[in-house]
Amino acid sequence: PTRIYFISGSSFKQVSEAKVIEDRLYAAGISSLAGVDEAGRGACAGPLVVASVILRDPHADELVKVRDSKELSEKTREELFDVVTDAALSVSVVIISNEEIDARGVHAANLDGMRRAVQGLEVTPAYVLTDGYAIEGLALPNLAVWKGDQVVTCISAASIIAKVTRDRIMREMDMTYPQYGFISHKGYITKVHTEALRLSLIHISEPTRQAE
């Protein structure tokens, strides 16, 4: 039988850059493969969204443009969202509220969201590939891949699903709270967002001072 060796350091970097991880697993007779990624981990507003995707065929022609969502324009991500959904055997999305993030911490909430996303798949994967973080406590074989959203197609697909889902949520939030500019920065820290937060704190503190 074919053996698969997953190594660390510079050698692992070379393997990752060759985009052969999925191929090695398939060659060993291991399928189906689930990719997992998140969006919103570095934001200061809005939810954390985790997606898990099992593709029917990561080499399908329609997936040739699929890559790390951060490398794609918003328009292209929206287009590929439907492409990935159609090409997937199963898709699972978990939306983690800001309240849960504040209560548990972003890392713990993220890991739990990754477990829930995999468990939510309609098909039980034979192997799980994640971007950067191993899923502790997952009762399935899994591997954290260095820059996984750039070198593993099913992780790239998950990154697109997570990013587009979160962006749509933030656009809806912008309709309720237009003063924060969520439609442009999606809850991440920018100069515009920082200034909006500063002004909101001034407006909150002024009635308090008046009451005193």
Side-chain angles (χ1 to χ4, degrees):
T2 302
R3 293 184 179 180
I4 303 173
Y5 297 95
F6 290 111
I7 49 185
S8 59
S10 59
S11 296
F12 178 72
K13 180 178 179 181
Q14 292 171 4
V15 170
S16 296
E17 288 177 345
K19 300 195 75 170
V20 298
I21 293 175
E22 284 166 305
D23 288 345
R24 290 190 176 185
L25 287 166
Y26 280 119
I30 301 174
S31 64
S32 53
L33 307 179
V36 184
D37 202 7
E38 50 73 27
R41 184 181 174 92
C44 66
L48 177 67
V49 177
V50 183
S52 183
V53 175
I54 298 176
L55 297 171
R56 291 187 179 88
D57 177 9
H59 297 296
D61 292 341
E62 61 268 27
L63 299 175
V64 67
K65 293 183 180 180
V66 169
R67 62 197 65 200
D68 177 9
S69 63
K70 296 185 290 295
E71 299 177 2
L72 302 168
S73 68
E74 185 169 347
K75 180 177 182 294
T76 301
R77 286 195 300 265
E78 284 284 348
E79 293 170 351
L80 287 175
F81 182 94
D82 293 333
V83 171
V84 168
T85 301
D86 291 341
L89 188 62
S90 184
V91 175
S92 172
V93 177
V94 172
I95 300 171
I96 303 167
S97 69
N98 58 288
E99 290 86 1
E100 183 176 349
I101 295 169
D102 292 342
R104 305 184 61 189
V106 67
H107 186 63
N110 185 37
L111 289 178
D112 186 56
M114 293 166 78
R115 285 190 292 267
R116 288 157 54 193
V118 173
Q119 292 164 357
L121 291 165
E122 295 178 351
V123 178
T124 301
Y127 213 98
V128 179
L129 299 170
T130 65
D131 179 34
Y133 297 96
I135 309 179
E136 300 172 5
L138 183 67
L140 289 168
N142 64 99
L143 176 72
V145 181
W146 184 74
K147 292 189 176 180
D149 51 4
Q150 298 178 24
V151 299
V152 177
T153 306
C154 62
I155 299 179
S156 300
S159 78
I160 291 170
I161 296 296
K163 174 64 174 169
V164 172
T165 299
R166 187 178 187 279
D167 283 358
R168 290 174 178 177
I169 292 171
M170 297 310 294
R171 287 197 292 270
E172 290 182 4
M173 286 183 63
D174 184 77
M175 296 176 67
T176 304
Y177 307 102
Q179 68 271 28
Y180 292 104
F182 291 140
I183 197 167
S184 61
H185 54 68
K186 306 302 189 295
Y188 289 88
I189 280 294
T190 63
K191 185 177 180 180
V192 171
H193 193 188
T194 301
E195 179 63 13
L197 290 171
R198 187 186 70 81
L199 293 174
S200 69
L201 289 173
I202 291 173
H203 293 155
I204 291 171
S205 62
E206 282 179 347
T208 302
R209 286 198 295 269
Q210 292 173 3
E212 293 174 350

